[in-house]
Amino acid sequence: MDKISLVVPCYNEQEALPYFYEAACKIVSEMSEQAFEFIFVDDGSKDNTLEIVKKISVEDKRVKYISFSRNFGKESAMYAGLQNATGDYVAIMDADMQDPPSLLPEMYTYVTSEKYDSVATRRVTRDGEPPIRSFFARLFYKVINKMSKTDIVDGARDFRLMNRKMVDAVISMEEYNRFSKGIFGWVGFNTKWLPYVNVERVAGETKWSFWKLFLYSLEGIVAFTTAPLAISSILGFTFCLLAFTFMIIIIIRTMLFGDPVGGWPSLISVMLFIGGIQLFCTGILGQYLSKAYLETKKRPLYVIKEDNFS
Ligand code: UDP
Ligand code: MG
């Protein structure tokens, strides 16, 4: 009998959690051929999420929970869940029902076939999302896929079912700056993509502000491509060439026509422009340096306050 672990990261999900648990239980009872395990990861919630999870875990022996000492972010929560999952297959699901549990049976049939090691979901519409956010999201996927060799799929959600081999591969990537969408692509394996129409969260509100998403996208770029570093070197080189050409032109012009002192405004503009580019490139360098700095500290990805594993 196969065992499936459902990893559910939760941050302030007191409103949505009961709905999720009820819906998931319904599907679980329909899949009577498989054993199930729930792993709720409370990511330092400030509301009653932990109390709700604890209550469920007392009534339902399949429910395990981990509670962090503070909010470490969804990436850490997913990692903790994967590390503690004991199933032959592991699914990562949001607590807000945006990852419909009803897809599980179909996902399971794919992943048990020889061909696929994981089944991932991709939303085909971005309905219910502010247009500006959709625009930047699309732009981000275009940019990162141009720059990175790892395939990062537009609209991919973290909702996926993986077999043990793939889970172990993901766990073996112990980096501090985690960007799961890239990690899943990087480890390889055969993935079946299930497109589905975006569902709005059942209760509560999104934990991702525009700013949080922006920082997360930078994380993705820095973690999965070093192209910006190459681009800044190329920029620097191009400007050196340009400057050299200008110098030659100015020398020749001065020898032919004497010494014209005009051209101050253009000089200032050029100086400001080059200064800007320099700061921009130093900034890029700084991003990589800061990530490398954090990696070398080897801090744990999360700190557990309590759990019910032992
Ligand atoms: N989440 C988390 N830690 C965080 C932010 C979010 O564990 O710091 C969880 C959250 O409880 C939910 C999932 O990650 O189960 C997705 O979050 P959300 O629904 O807010 O994101 P969205 O669906 O709007 O992208
Ligand atoms: Mg959501």
Side-chain angles (χ1 to χ4, degrees):
M1 190 155 145
D2 279 340
K3 182 170 174 188
I4 303 179
S5 305
L6 303 179
V7 169
V8 190
C10 311
Y11 178 51
N12 296 346
E13 296 288 7
Q14 62 178 12
E15 285 96 9
L17 210 53
Y19 291 103
F20 171 81
Y21 178 65
E22 197 193 315
C25 280
K26 199 164 149 266
I27 297 298
V28 163
S29 60
E30 279 165 23
M31 296 173 76
S32 50
E33 307 269 289
Q34 288 80 38
F36 276 86
E37 154 188 80
F38 289 88
I39 299 183
F40 289 103
V41 185
D42 164 40
D43 185 10
S45 301
K46 292 178 189 71
D47 63 1
N48 288 323
T49 303
L50 181 60
E51 282 69 38
I52 296 176
V53 169
K54 272 184 173 169
K55 204 170 138 247
I56 299 175
S57 75
V58 173
E59 292 156 10
D60 186 344
K61 287 289 152 245
R62 298 168 302 182
V63 174
K64 301 265 180 289
Y65 68 85
I66 306 168
S67 179
F68 289 174
S69 59
R70 65 168 170 87
N71 180 240
F72 280 87
K74 187 183 178 189
E75 287 292 344
S76 298
M78 289 193 291
Y79 191 64
L82 290 181
Q83 276 184 319
N84 288 288
T86 55
D88 305 296
Y89 298 93
V90 181
I92 301 176
M93 306 180 81
D94 285 3
D96 59 2
M97 301 268 282
Q98 281 189 303
D99 301 335
S102 54
L103 287 177
L104 275 174
E106 190 186 352
M107 292 167 87
Y108 179 72
T109 36
Y110 279 116
V111 90
T112 42
S113 76
E114 296 278 292
K115 243 174 101 194
Y116 297 111
D117 301 288
S118 90
V119 185
T121 54
R122 190 170 67 82
R123 50 179 181 173
V124 281
T125 58
R126 286 183 172 274
D127 295 349
E129 195 181 62
I132 182 98
R133 185 176 282 204
S134 305
F135 170 78
F136 279 107
R138 294 224 165 82
L139 186 70
F140 165 71
Y141 284 108
K142 269 204 194 104
V143 170
I144 196 161
N145 277 309
K146 281 254 150 52
M147 292 196 303
S148 172
K149 282 196 207 91
T150 307
D151 194 22
I152 294 164
V153 178
D154 186 2
R157 297 196 48 94
D158 292 322
F159 181 26
R160 61 166 71 217
L161 183 64
M162 294 171 273
N163 64 15
R164 198 19 73 185
K165 268 191 206 141
M166 183 157 173
V167 173
D168 288 341
V170 171
I171 295 174
S172 73
M173 293 180 74
E174 295 170 334
E175 59 215 75
Y176 184 78
N177 300 286
R178 298 188 78 75
F179 183 70
S180 282
K181 288 177 173 57
I183 291 176
F184 292 138
W186 192 93
V187 295
F189 296 103
N190 289 334
T191 297
K192 162 82 187 166
W193 287 96
L194 278 188
Y196 75 104
V197 178
N198 194 26
V199 199
E200 289 196 34
R201 68 158 41 239
V202 54
E205 47 195 56
T206 177
K207 310 297 176 300
W208 294 87
S209 63
F210 190 80
W211 180 241
K212 238 175 145 181
L213 278 175
F214 176 73
L215 291 181
Y216 186 57
S217 68
L218 282 189
E219 194 123 300
I221 292 175
V222 174
F224 280 92
T225 167
T226 47
L229 288 176
I231 295 172
S232 55
S233 320
I234 293 169
L235 265 180
F237 184 70
T238 317
F239 278 99
C240 281
L241 273 187
L242 267 179
F244 191 69
T245 323
F246 267 126
M247 244 158 62
I248 305 276
I249 293 175
I250 289 169
I251 290 173
I252 294 176
R253 206 175 59 179
T254 314
M255 288 201 315
L256 291 181
F257 305 108
D259 183 21
V261 188
W264 206 162
S266 53
L267 189 70
I268 289 295
S269 333
V270 169
M271 264 174 62
L272 285 179
F273 182 60
I274 308 271
I277 296 273
Q278 268 174 353
L279 279 181
F280 179 66
C281 294
T282 319
I284 292 177
L285 205 66
Q287 282 293 321
Y288 284 90
L289 190 68
S290 68
K291 296 296 174 196
Y293 172 63
L294 287 174
E295 290 296 346
T296 54
K297 286 192 178 190
K298 291 234 169 291
R299 284 182 182 164
L301 280 154
Y302 53 86
V303 176
I304 295 179
K305 193 173 64 185
E306 59 174 295
D307 61 36
N308 67 344
F309 279 89
S310 42

